Amino acid sequence: TVLTQSHKTQRKTCNSKLMKNNYGFTRVAAAVPKVCVADCEANVQEILTMLRLADAQDIQTVCFPELSVTAYTCGDLFFQRTLIRKAEQAVAGLLRETRDMPLCFLVGVPVEHDAKLYNCAAVIHAGRLLGIVPKTHLPNYSEFYEKRWFRPGAFGELPIRIEYAGNAVPFGSSLLFDCGGIGCGGIDCGGAKFAVEICEDLWAVIPPGSVHATAGASLIFNLSASNELTGKRQYVKSLTAQQSARCHAAYVYASSGFGESTTDTVYTGNAYIYENGRLLAETERFRFDGQLIVSDIDIELLNAERKKNTTFAGNPSAARNYVTVAVNLPPCREPRTLRRVITPSPFLPDADRYNESCEEIFSIQVAGLAKRFLHTRAESLILGVSGGLDSTLALLVCVRTADRLGLSRRAVCGLTMPGFGTSERTHTNAVRLMEPLGITAADINITAACEQHFRDIAHDPAVHDVTYENTQARERTQILMDLANQKNGLVVGTGDMSELALGWATYNGDHMSMYGVNAGIPKTLVRYLVKWVAENQMEAAARQTLLDIIDTPVSPELLPKDPQGKMTQFTEDLIGPYQLHDFFLFHTLRYGFSPRKIRFLAQHAFRGTYDAAAILKWLDMFYRRFFSQQFKRSCMPDGPKVGSVNLSPRGDWRMPSDACVRLWIREIEEMKEETEKIR
């Protein structure tokens, strides 16, 4: 391992000073310069122009295309000593010209060693040549003739040292470049390491990047020269997406663009940046000038995925033959915002897969309920229909399940159970929704039963406390359970995953059912699915009812309504916006991010919607409720997992019911104090 003392000192200093800002990002770029075939001097000037542009944007690592110093399409000119000598001189010139640039960059260059020529990537930082990586797999089919000029690098062997451009440097495929944990803005990025592939390496049966990843590389750079063919672009994007997902890595792919020879092929400058299967940035094809695409890579996110995925962690690697080279990346000079999109709704499907995703999610719910219905030999499905979002989605799932099983829709029994706080709007919507669906509908007013219960336990009904509220929820559950016994039915739970996360359910009340079809669906997704059903599967009358349900404020409706019959209790006023809570939930469960990191991401995702104070306020509420309400999740009913995050104690989430929240709240309090000091 090549790790200098200055590198160790810098890492220690930066980490100790800036650990409070541990957001875990590093900034990368893929560059596609305009090239001139066999003109190394002109190509170096283009590279320098793009490096200056990158340096001005606080980019830390830049990847150029394959053989970008000479151009890829030199053909038999690679046999010319003049070209090879000029290419080496050009690299020496790059070293001189970039001494004052703190960024790291990779350029493609032909390298001669022991009378053999290699297609290589030169890794350069601050005027120093850190290492040279030869291409492992050389294409020699169709339009490619690389074995005519180059020799393959010996993958998996211990790197050697060679003399090149006036430097003695490590040469080999098994090189890891350690960025020292210093990310953009001087922020610790979790010890990011990168490795290199060259073009065809990605297309191999076992890409070198797969081994690089198991050896510790969280970023893979691919210097490519892939010509344009009909349909090829989508195939390359599929390869890079799959490789980044399989390796839980970021994949930066830069391919040759305008200026390459068009004797038999055309190069259009395809470049992509992927992170764990997700496309973050891509170039515009068929441009006649240079392009630079930039994105911030979340190293902490990648590390979280790797820690959780025991298949990845248990993969054997050839790490014993790797040499690690230090890259002393300094902190960025200026404060900056993220160069990537942080979605405010991480549970929602991508817009381009709207119909497909909604149908898939809905079908998972239906399949889960159908299996449970058949297994229990039930004759009916029983559920409470309140006119709210959750019970509406559950009802739609029940109806689809009956249809799929070939049952009469009369087997679905929907109950409206108005109480002290039931508004005219929600009750009317519940009735209007059940009528066109053709299910068995019933209405049981629970007011008298609750009043009798208050007398039995000597509770003053004028005191609208938790006893007052929970009595109604438990009375409704008792009715549903007893009717299920009477009708040999299955009580279908309507509560969603967001309510489970916050404990916003009455224990042994609406918390309980025989199967919870919404257990894996967060509140933001519930609204999304109901809208999809309204737009795609309902006639005009039912569609209008569903759209009004979507527009109705979320409320448990357990406190008395106003004189006009309208609701007086609004859930999001009490516990905070579900959009924020779903954001907090996703990043807490999926990646294990700290409150500080989640606050940082939320400020980017909700800029212009929620200010910093509101985000901190509801983040505090989220953690307090999430920890204190685990006991409800520990005994939650069965229900289907739908997405990558779930709260079932039998599936994704195993948490002690008496865990202490102090560490998380302390971090939030520190952020509040910091905010006050800034003010």
Side-chain angles (χ1 to χ4, degrees):
T1 298
V2 184
L3 196 63
T4 65
Q5 187 60 42
S6 63
H7 180 257
K8 295 177 183 176
T9 303
Q10 181 191 26
R11 178 191 296 183
K12 182 177 180 181
T13 302
C14 287
N15 284 359
S16 62
K17 288 182 178 179
L18 297 162
M19 190 56 68
K20 288 184 178 180
N21 293 326
N22 183 10
Y23 302 136
F25 291 95
T26 187
R27 182 167 291 179
V28 301
V32 182
K34 185 169 62 174
V35 297
C36 186
V37 178
D39 190 342
C40 300
E41 294 176 358
N43 292 335
V44 163
Q45 290 306 311
E46 286 291 329
I47 290 170
L48 286 171
T49 297
M50 301 199 81
L51 285 174
R52 294 184 185 105
L53 179 63
D55 190 37
Q57 298 182 58
D58 279 343
I59 295 167
Q60 293 185 287
T61 313
V62 185
C63 182
F64 287 88
E66 181 179 10
L67 294 170
S68 46
V69 170
T70 58
Y72 177 77
T73 49
C74 291
D76 282 355
L77 292 178
F78 285 123
F79 289 134
Q80 296 293 310
R81 181 62 189 157
T82 297
L83 180 64
I84 303 306
R85 186 177 67 251
K86 286 294 185 182
E88 185 171 355
Q89 292 173 358
V91 171
L94 279 172
L95 297 178
R96 291 191 300 271
E97 293 294 329
T98 58
R99 286 173 183 167
D100 296 329
M101 290 186 188
L103 55 73
C104 177
F105 64 97
L106 299 80
V107 292
V109 63
V111 174
E112 184 177 346
H113 175 67
D114 280 348
K116 300 182 184 71
L117 194 62
Y118 297 89
N119 180 347
C120 296
V123 181
I124 299 170
H125 172 246
R128 293 179 58 233
L129 182 58
L130 300 180
I132 297 174
V133 181
K135 188 173 183 177
T136 301
H137 299 282
L138 302 179
N140 218 60
Y141 54 85
S142 300
E143 62 267 39
F144 300 106
Y145 296 92
E146 285 193 35
K147 289 184 179 179
R148 179 180 177 92
W149 312 297
F150 302 112
R151 297 293 179 268
F155 186 74
E157 293 187 3
L158 192 67
I160 61 175
R161 294 188 77 82
I162 69 169
E163 291 286 335
Y164 188 76
N167 297 267
V169 296
F171 174 92
S173 301
S174 300
L175 288 176
L176 285 178
F177 297 88
D178 182 3
C179 298
I182 308 305
C184 221
I187 296 163
D188 174 70
C189 62
K193 296 177 182 176
F194 70 81
V196 182
E197 287 186 336
I198 301 178
C199 199
E200 186 76 6
D201 291 343
L202 172 62
W203 301 63
V205 175
I206 302 177
S210 297
V211 182
H212 295 330
T214 60
S218 48
L219 296 102
I220 308 295
F221 292 98
N222 186 301
L223 297 79
S224 183
S226 186
N227 59 304
E228 194 71 33
L229 297 173
T230 303
K232 187 176 182 180
R233 172 175 173 267
Q234 195 56 45
Y235 184 71
V236 174
K237 291 182 71 174
S238 176
L239 280 178
T240 52
Q242 284 294 318
Q243 185 66 351
S244 71
R246 185 181 298 110
C247 294
H248 293 307
Y251 203 95
V252 182
Y253 176 95
S255 185
S256 300
F258 187 74
E260 290 282 0
S261 173
T262 57
T263 301
D264 291 300
T265 51
V266 171
Y267 296 80
T268 62
N270 288 302
Y272 316 107
I273 301 175
Y274 278 89
E275 179 190 87
N276 203 37
R278 177 188 171 200
L279 179 64
L280 301 183
E282 65 180 313
T283 51
E284 177 187 339
R285 291 193 297 168
F286 302 105
R287 283 267 295 268
F288 294 167
D289 56 351
Q291 295 186 73
L292 187 75
I293 56 171
V294 184
S295 188
D296 290 324
I297 303 299
D298 193 339
I299 301 298
E300 187 181 357
L301 180 152
L302 297 173
N303 288 343
E305 293 282 29
R306 290 182 172 189
K307 283 186 292 185
K308 183 181 292 186
N309 189 319
T310 54
T311 302
F312 178 89
N315 238 325
S317 75
R320 63 186 181 278
N321 288 331
Y322 274 79
V323 167
T324 302
V325 180
V327 186
N328 299 322
L329 294 179
C332 295
R333 296 183 296 273
E334 300 288 341
R336 46 84 176 180
T337 56
L338 281 179
R339 295 290 293 270
R340 61 185 284 153
V341 174
I342 305 296
T343 176
S345 303
F347 285 111
L348 300 190
D350 294 335
D352 59 350
R353 296 184 64 243
Y354 174 64
N355 285 319
E356 178 187 354
S357 296
C358 289
E359 180 62 47
E360 184 176 47
I361 294 166
F362 203 60
S363 295
I364 290 172
Q365 293 178 276
V366 169
L369 181 58
K371 164 64 178 176
R372 184 54 54 94
F373 181 83
L374 293 174
H375 177 74
T376 58
R377 299 182 181 180
E379 298 176 8
S380 59
L381 295 169
I382 313 291
L383 77 161
V385 182
S386 68
L389 279 170
D390 293 341
S391 64
T392 295
L393 178 59
L395 173 60
L396 296 171
V397 170
C398 288
V399 169
R400 172 77 75 89
T401 302
D403 292 346
R404 291 291 304 276
L405 291 175
L407 302 173
S408 166
R409 288 188 177 184
R410 301 290 295 174
V412 179
C413 181
L415 275 77
T416 53
M417 293 172 281
F420 303 120
T422 303
S423 66
E424 184 67 27
R425 180 180 185 180
T426 55
H427 186 258
T428 299
N429 279 339
V431 173
R432 286 178 178 172
L433 180 61
M434 290 189 286
E435 286 176 355
L437 292 177
I439 70 168
T440 300
D443 185 276
I444 300 175
N445 193 299
I446 66 169
T447 303
C450 291
E451 289 172 341
Q452 178 60 52
H453 183 63
F454 291 153
R455 288 191 291 271
D456 292 341
I457 65 172
H459 179 77
D460 183 356
V463 178
H464 300 158
D465 58 4
V466 67
T467 303
Y468 181 90
E469 294 188 29
N470 286 348
T471 290
Q472 298 169 74
R474 293 193 176 105
E475 176 61 27
R476 288 180 174 124
T477 301
Q478 175 176 291
I479 291 171
L480 293 172
M481 291 290 181
D482 290 344
L483 272 177
N485 293 155
Q486 189 181 73
K487 296 175 176 290
N488 189 26
L490 187 76
V491 175
V492 178
T494 62
D496 63 57
M497 186 165 65
S498 304
E499 293 178 343
L500 286 167
L502 298 168
W504 194 249
T506 299
Y507 192 66
N508 203 35
D510 54 316
H511 159 260
M512 189 52 57
S513 67
M514 295 171 181
Y515 196 74
V517 293
N518 293 340
I521 312 289
K523 185 74 77 177
T524 49
L525 184 55
V526 170
R527 189 181 302 273
Y528 194 86
L529 290 170
V530 171
K531 183 181 180 185
W532 172 74
V533 173
E535 293 174 344
N536 294 276
Q537 301 184 8
M538 289 292 164
E539 298 297 330
R543 183 183 305 118
Q544 287 305 118
T545 300
L546 287 177
L547 293 177
D548 192 61
I549 290 172
I550 292 170
D551 290 338
T552 303
V554 179
S555 172
E557 294 193 316
L558 296 174
L559 295 180
K561 50 187 176 287
D562 68 13
Q564 287 73 42
K566 297 181 180 179
M567 65 179 68
T568 59
Q569 190 179 23
F570 302 96
T571 300
E572 291 180 294
D573 289 347
L574 300 170
I575 62 171
Y578 274 115
Q579 189 178 32
L580 278 178
H581 285 308
D582 282 359
F583 185 90
F584 302 154
L585 178 65
F586 179 85
H587 291 286
T588 297
L589 266 61
R590 178 69 187 269
Y591 305 121
F593 287 162
S594 67
R596 188 175 292 275
K597 172 75 171 272
I598 294 173
R599 189 276 304 261
F600 174 76
L601 295 175
Q603 286 178 327
H604 284 81
F606 296 102
R607 183 176 286 115
T609 304
Y610 299 106
D611 60 23
I615 290 170
L616 270 180
K617 172 186 175 181
W618 298 121
L619 187 61
D620 183 289
M621 172 72 79
F622 171 80
Y623 278 106
R624 291 181 190 276
R625 292 197 65 93
F626 185 77
F627 272 75
S628 67
Q629 301 296 303
Q630 173 62 28
F631 74 98
K632 294 180 182 177
R633 300 189 290 271
S634 293
C635 61
M636 61 181 276
D638 294 352
K641 178 178 178 179
V642 171
S644 62
V645 171
N646 196 248
L647 286 168
S648 170
R650 299 164 296 275
D652 285 26
W653 190 246
R654 294 165 178 82
M655 172 183 171
S657 295
D658 48 7
C660 182
V661 72
R662 184 180 299 119
L663 296 179
W664 289 262
I665 296 302
R666 184 180 298 163
E667 191 169 319
I668 292 173
E669 293 299 329
E670 288 174 358
M671 289 188 282
K672 290 179 179 179
E673 291 172 5
E674 292 163 9
T675 302
E676 287 300 319
K677 288 180 182 179
I678 294 173
R679 289 178 181 174

